[in-house]
């Protein structure tokens, strides 16, 4: 299969980790007979240096014209990098918002998986960690409280702030469909999280998701209240396969879910648009403190590339092969410094990439 991938190395450790992910994608091409063409674009601090803005219209158009986007990370250090003397809308991170909006990315996917070999990093009780977990949070990304009307005004002499939580049935339907499709590629189980005992938007959410569920007879749908979900994530994370939820609940729950894995350098993410298009990036940032030292953990970016194969290209076997290679490398005892533990072999960023390629 021939595909075009836009690659955004970005700032800090971005170029190092993206190089390793490309190496892995090239190995997949060799093994499975695909052809991936890469086009690099600038975003973040490097784009400010070269073009004066964190994302140019041309760069966005290039990304739009491709089949998928792979991103490293953007950003530097406030108080050190001159980018932060600029107004907020011209700083590196503004590129992220611009590309998400420009590409119409409305579904955010954050998997949280506990590797056997990294169980000691899990902050939960040993008996819970021992059971393991493998879930994905599907968060609506462009609606709800963060995008509703808001104002702060004085009403009868009292300062009052108002935020509006609004969802329409079309917004709920499209994210619910994504969640059911993803569940179909996993363990066929969706838990839809809301606050339907209080909020109208949640009652519409659960009504619409139940409607959508009828088109996916193989997938089981259960509803869970958000406060219960926050508790269940630390009490019994093994029960979750796909968590489907709105923007703000998803913001909080996806951070909680990643926290219980204990290792930030391992967590991929995806943001999807209508159809198959998506942007794939690690959950961590640009880590300027370790940039250029060849010590960054490239696994979150490599796992993001695996998500790209699975969700944008429908290459499930190829994605499985990359994920299995990551598990095998950990099993074989190789670790970058952020996940290093006694008795393991310490490797750098590029060596870790090579080790994954050898195992695909
Ligand atoms: P960060 O995730 O970059 O770093 C937090 C800590 O984790 C640091 O000690 C770092 O060295 C370590 N770390 C992160 N990724 C690692 C990896 N792959 N391997 C080994 N160690 C790793 O978060 P931060 O320090 O809050 O942010 C740094 C910069 O990144 C800021 O400019 C921030 O705005 C930006 N940022 C960008 C994104 C993005 O591009 N999507 C996301 C978050 C933060």
């Amino acid at each position: 299969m021939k595909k075009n991938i836009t690659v955004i190395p970005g700032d800090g450790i971005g170029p190092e980790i993206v190089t390793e992910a490309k190496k892995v994608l090239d190995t997949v091409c060799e093994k499975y007979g695909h052809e991936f063409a890469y086009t690099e674009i600038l975003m973040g601090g490097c784009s400010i240096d070269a073009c004066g803005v964190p994302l140019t219209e041309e760069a966005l158009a290039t990304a739009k014209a491709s089949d998928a986007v792979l991103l490293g990370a953007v950003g530097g250090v406030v108080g050190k990098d001159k980018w932060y003397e600029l107004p907020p809308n011209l700083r590196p991170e503004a590129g992220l918002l611009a590309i998400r909006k420009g590409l119409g990315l409305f579904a955010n996917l954050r998997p949280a998986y506990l590797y056997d070999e990294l169980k000691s990093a899990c902050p939960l009780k040993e008996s819970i960690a021992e059971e393991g977990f493998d879930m994905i949070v599907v968060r609506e990304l462009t609606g709800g409280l963060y995008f509703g009307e808001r104002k702060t005004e004085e009403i009868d002499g009292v300062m009052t702030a108002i935020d509006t939580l609004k969802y329409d049935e079309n917004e709920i339907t499209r994210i619910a469909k994504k969640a059911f499709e993803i569940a179909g590629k996993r363990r066929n189980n969706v838990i839809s999280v809301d606050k339907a005992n209080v909020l109208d938007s949640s009652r519409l959410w659960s009504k619409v998701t139940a409607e959508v569920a009828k088109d996916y007879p193989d997938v089981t749908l259960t509803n869970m209240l958000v406060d219960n979900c926050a508790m269940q994530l630390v009490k019994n994370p093994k029960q979750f396969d796909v968590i489907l939820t709105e923007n703000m609940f998803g913001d909080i729950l996806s951070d909680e879910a990643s926290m219980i894995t204990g290792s930030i350098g391992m967590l991929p993410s995806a943001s999807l648009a209508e159809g198959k298009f998506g942007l794939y990036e690690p959950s961590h940032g640009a880590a300027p403190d370790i940039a250029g030292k060849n010590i960054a953990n490239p696994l979150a970016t490599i796992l993001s590339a695996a998500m790209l194969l699975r969700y944008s290209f429908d290459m499930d076997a190829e994605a499985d092969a990359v994920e299995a290679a990551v598990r095998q490398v950990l099993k074989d005892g190789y670790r970058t410094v952020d996940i290093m533990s006694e008795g393991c072999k310490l490797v750098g960023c590029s060596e870790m990439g090579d080790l994954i390629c050898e195992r695909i």
Side-chain angles (χ1 to χ4, degrees):
M1 218 183 262
K2 282 189 182 178
K3 294 285 182 189
N4 293 311
I5 303 175
T6 296
V7 173
I8 311 178
D11 307 313
I13 59 171
E16 298 165 57
I17 54 181
V18 160
T19 299
E20 299 317 307
K22 271 172 69 183
K23 231 191 239 176
V24 169
L25 288 172
D26 285 339
T27 307
V28 166
C29 280
E30 268 168 46
K31 171 113 196 258
Y32 292 86
H34 302 306
E35 226 175 277
F36 298 159
Y38 307 100
T39 311
E40 275 198 12
I41 61 169
L42 296 176
M43 191 172 92
C46 56
S47 175
I48 298 173
D49 290 344
C51 316
V53 289
L55 181 72
T56 62
E57 287 297 327
E58 299 79 62
L60 179 60
T62 303
K64 260 187 195 164
S66 62
D67 297 309
V69 180
L70 179 69
L71 163 66
V74 300
V77 182
V78 181
K80 183 170 163 247
D81 289 300
K82 57 186 184 316
W83 306 320
Y84 294 96
E85 289 159 18
L86 296 165
N89 64 330
L90 289 178
R91 290 180 191 174
E93 291 76 5
L96 285 171
L97 299 181
I99 201 162
R100 283 174 189 153
K101 189 162 175 248
L103 297 177
L105 306 172
F106 66 89
N108 183 236
L109 275 52
R110 293 257 303 263
Y113 178 79
L114 188 62
Y115 291 87
D116 278 348
E117 292 74 18
L118 302 179
K119 277 182 176 164
S120 60
C122 174
L124 302 179
K125 267 202 284 192
E126 214 180 305
S127 57
I128 299 171
E130 222 22 73
E131 299 255 286
F133 54 81
D134 175 5
M135 71 183 93
I136 186 161
V137 179
V138 177
R139 165 190 172 194
E140 202 290 326
L141 205 56
T142 55
L145 203 55
Y146 297 174
F147 288 87
E149 254 178 68
R150 63 176 62 99
K151 60 183 170 189
T152 303
E153 62 185 359
E154 205 174 296
I155 301 177
D156 297 334
V158 181
M159 281 308 286
T160 307
I162 302 167
D163 294 291
T164 319
L165 201 181
K166 172 178 156 288
Y167 271 109
D168 67 43
E169 54 187 340
N170 298 333
E171 289 171 304
I172 302 169
T173 299
R174 69 176 183 175
I175 187 78
K177 278 185 176 170
K178 285 275 185 212
F180 283 99
E181 281 160 20
I182 289 161
K185 283 178 177 266
R186 294 171 50 94
R187 302 193 304 277
N188 286 316
N189 193 319
V190 171
I191 294 187
S192 176
V193 174
D194 59 43
K195 188 71 183 167
N197 54 344
V198 180
L199 301 174
D200 264 25
S201 56
S202 284
R203 283 190 277 272
L204 182 64
W205 184 278
S206 68
K207 185 168 167 252
V208 173
T209 44
E211 266 312 303
V212 173
K214 291 180 186 161
D215 294 333
Y216 301 86
D218 295 339
V219 180
T220 312
L221 169 69
T222 323
N223 294 295
M224 188 179 275
L225 294 175
V226 61
D227 38 354
N228 185 26
C229 183
M231 289 192 281
Q232 294 299 327
L233 275 173
V234 292
K235 199 175 153 210
N236 179 14
K238 191 171 177 255
Q239 70 186 289
F240 296 103
D241 177 16
V242 174
I243 295 178
L244 161 65
T245 192
E246 59 93 73
N247 202 343
M248 183 179 63
F249 297 159
D251 187 8
I252 299 165
L253 295 175
S254 61
D255 267 8
E256 186 184 0
S258 35
M259 194 50 225
I260 57 173
T261 69
S263 29
I264 189 168
M266 301 295 301
L267 296 170
S269 82
S271 301
L272 307 181
E274 297 277 8
K276 290 281 166 194
F277 188 84
L279 177 144
Y280 301 82
E281 59 178 321
S283 292
H284 59 72
D289 52 331
I290 57 166
K293 296 182 180 161
N294 191 29
I295 59 169
N297 184 347
L299 293 178
T301 318
I302 289 170
L303 291 165
S304 303
M307 290 184 84
L308 181 156
L309 295 169
R310 190 183 304 284
Y311 295 115
S312 279
F313 298 171
D314 272 326
M315 296 179 182
D316 288 6
E318 291 83 336
D320 286 346
V322 174
E323 288 166 359
V326 169
R327 280 195 296 275
Q328 191 57 47
V329 160
L330 295 175
K331 217 177 202 173
D332 294 342
Y334 296 102
R335 303 281 190 275
T336 44
V337 65
D338 56 309
I339 51 170
M340 184 61 189
S341 59
E342 225 182 296
C344 292
K345 290 162 264 191
L346 182 66
V347 295
C349 182
S350 57
E351 199 180 351
M352 184 55 104
D354 293 339
L355 290 164
I356 301 293
C357 291
E358 281 166 22
R359 283 158 182 77
I360 288 172

